[in-house]
Amino acid sequence: MLAGLDIATWSALIVFGIAGLLVLGVPLAFSTGAIAVALCLVVYGPMSLFLVASRSIEFLDSYVLVAVPFFILMASLMERSGIAKDLYTALNVWAGRMPGGLAVVTVFVGVILASTVGVIGGEIVLLGLVALPQLLRLGYDRKLAIGTICASGSLGTMIPPSIILVFFGITAGASVGDLFLASLMPGLLLAGLYVAYIVARCARDPALGPPPPAQELAMPLSEKLALLKGVALPIAIAFVVLGSIYLGLASVTESAAIGVAGVALAIWIRGDMTVDLVRHAALQTLSTCGVVLWLVLGTNALIGVYNLMGGIDFARSLLTDLPFPPIVVIMIMLGVWILLGFFLDWIGIMLLTMPIFVPAAEALGYDRIWLGILFNIAMQIAYLTPPFAPAAFYLKGVAPKDIALDEIFAAMWPFIALQVVGLALVVTFPQIALWLPAWVNP
């Protein structure tokens, strides 16, 4: 009886099935995997289970996927070393009397860390441990300090290298190198919006961001120059990782391996390298990769079965046949991503929607690289929007105990509004994302 249902009914059953399992507390990876197996058995019989295995093997066989554990290991090593602290100290003394100078420095540190780690978890933890105590010590407005750290830390997946873009490239069949190039300017645009907001608010009300103590402002120039060595190592690592990709000297996977070697060398030069540091970084990398790969396997299996049933073509035709201009369809896609971001992690959203959205967008005449950047910005918004809001939970884990989760949620709304502005600009002016790949690869 079930086998005779049409694809529209099956699509509704799949959506309700996933939602029901998630409500019951079943992780997304196992929810999608269980539904994929059930569909195989009901619709095609036991022999179709080989489809699940073959799709999983095909995905895991991707060479670019090797970059993921390397980027995560880079983040883990950076998180446990003193590189971020020295970077923050060096930039802080140069901020001077700029309105909200310490918060602006936090944004710059977020950009530099983002260009070396590629994931938000480690970056927000780093900024929460290093920057938040200093911002609170100097009397910065608590909400401004919290929002700055969450927004700046989330740049880890916007400024290349980015784990999200690696997976998008694999899933959508797009060049990861071009995605990295395309995400650079939108990432800097978001950082610029954060800086403009901080400076404007603190210039209007200096009590929100008081200047540093007089003894820090009076530091001799020679000492300030000496502190710049704390900036040199992370910038050099970022230059090597991104430069090797942009100049065509190494693939994304090779540059990720070079980045791990560079971070390890920097930690060794500083004298911070220990067996305990390496062990904890390796364990964190294994744990994170395990979670990500289970999500990939479960969701990828479901997409494979759904595609075999004709579901992908059905969903794509729904989008392309809508009686709206193409840009409205893109807005619908963005709305779906942002809505799902309230409840799901980025990788689940990506794997569930990209097999449908990418072909539909291309049929409407849009570039998949541009679509990938829009997805990445939408996931920036998802990182900050409750109730899921990973950024809030990362910060809560290292913030003082008197900072409640509700206060963190409230502090992020102005920065969510800035992210929406950034998204609107990239939608309206696609060349913000596309001009750099076109210039590098004419």
Side-chain angles (χ1 to χ4, degrees):
M1 177 179 176
L2 287 174
L5 297 177
D6 60 34
I7 188 59
T9 305
W10 274 120
S11 299
L13 288 174
I14 291 170
V15 171
F16 285 120
I18 294 174
L21 290 174
L22 290 175
V23 168
L24 293 173
V26 180
L28 179 63
F30 302 126
S31 299
T32 52
I35 291 175
V37 171
L39 287 173
C40 283
L41 294 175
V42 171
V43 180
Y44 298 108
M47 294 302 294
S48 64
L49 291 174
F50 286 106
L51 172 67
V52 175
S54 64
R55 290 239 348 153
S56 300
I57 292 172
E58 181 182 354
F59 192 92
L60 293 175
D61 194 43
S62 174
Y63 177 65
V64 178
L65 197 62
V66 179
V68 173
F70 281 130
F71 284 135
I72 295 174
L73 183 57
M74 283 175 60
S76 300
L77 290 170
M78 289 280 288
E79 181 182 339
R80 286 169 169 77
S81 68
I83 294 176
K85 184 177 181 180
D86 286 354
L87 174 64
Y88 194 87
T89 302
L91 291 177
N92 181 33
V93 300
W94 286 91
R97 296 186 179 275
M98 177 189 298
L102 199 60
V104 171
V105 165
T106 301
V107 177
F108 279 112
V109 171
V111 170
I112 295 174
L113 291 179
S115 65
T116 59
V117 298
V119 291
I120 72 161
E123 188 173 350
I124 290 179
V125 169
L126 280 170
L127 293 176
L129 291 171
V130 176
L132 185 58
Q134 297 303 314
L135 289 166
L136 297 180
R137 176 181 66 84
L138 291 177
Y140 271 68
D141 178 76
R142 283 164 62 105
K143 288 185 177 180
L144 180 64
I146 292 168
T148 299
I149 288 173
C150 288
S152 302
S154 296
L155 290 171
T157 54
M158 195 67 220
I159 305 289
S162 166
I163 297 297
I164 284 185
L165 294 178
V166 172
F167 274 99
F168 180 88
I170 297 172
T171 305
S175 166
V176 177
D178 285 348
L179 287 166
F180 280 4
L181 287 168
S183 68
L184 182 59
M185 295 309 298
L188 294 177
L189 171 65
L190 288 179
L193 290 173
Y194 301 158
V195 169
Y197 169 75
I198 292 166
V199 171
R201 285 205 65 192
C202 293
R204 183 178 179 182
D205 184 1
L208 295 175
Q215 59 269 27
E216 293 185 18
L217 293 174
M219 181 179 292
L221 179 61
S222 58
E223 293 184 22
K224 290 184 178 182
L225 292 173
L227 286 173
L228 288 179
K229 66 181 181 181
V231 181
L233 283 174
I235 290 181
I237 294 168
F239 177 79
V240 170
V241 172
L242 299 180
S244 61
I245 297 173
Y246 296 163
L247 296 175
L249 301 177
S251 67
V252 172
T253 303
E254 292 164 345
S255 67
I258 294 170
V260 172
V263 171
L265 178 62
I267 294 173
W268 179 76
I269 291 173
R270 291 170 46 86
D272 294 335
M273 183 66 74
T274 63
V275 173
D276 190 58
L277 183 148
V278 174
R279 180 172 65 86
H280 280 93
L283 288 174
Q284 183 178 5
T285 301
L286 287 170
S287 175
T288 305
C289 286
V291 172
V292 168
L293 290 178
W294 271 114
L295 278 166
V296 169
L297 293 176
T299 309
N300 198 44
L302 176 59
I303 293 300
V305 181
Y306 189 60
N307 189 29
L308 187 63
M309 296 168 65
I312 303 297
D313 293 333
F314 164 73
R316 186 191 312 135
S317 66
L318 284 180
L319 288 172
T320 55
D321 293 342
L322 288 173
F324 305 124
I327 192 63
V328 175
V329 179
I330 294 296
M331 300 302 292
I332 292 173
M333 294 180 184
L334 290 172
V336 169
W337 286 332
I338 293 173
L339 180 63
L340 290 176
F342 290 169
F343 311 104
L344 297 179
D345 200 356
W346 62 267
I347 192 165
I349 300 171
M350 175 187 294
L351 294 171
L352 287 171
T353 61
M354 287 310 163
I356 300 168
F357 285 5
V358 171
E362 289 196 318
L364 294 170
Y366 293 108
D367 187 279
R368 67 177 61 190
I369 298 294
W370 178 66
L371 189 71
I373 303 308
L374 296 184
F375 173 76
N376 207 357
I377 301 175
M379 291 304 98
Q380 293 287 298
I381 298 172
Y383 281 133
L384 270 61
T385 47
F388 189 67
F393 291 97
Y394 282 126
L395 183 61
K396 176 59 180 173
V398 296
K401 293 183 178 180
D402 64 320
I403 294 180
L405 199 57
D406 289 347
E407 185 177 6
I408 298 177
F409 286 155
M412 294 192 297
W413 287 112
F415 292 89
I416 293 172
L418 294 172
Q419 291 172 334
V420 172
V421 170
L423 178 61
L425 288 172
V426 178
V427 170
T428 307
F429 306 103
Q431 288 306 310
I432 294 175
L434 297 179
W435 78 269
L436 188 57
W439 181 70
V440 174
N441 302 306

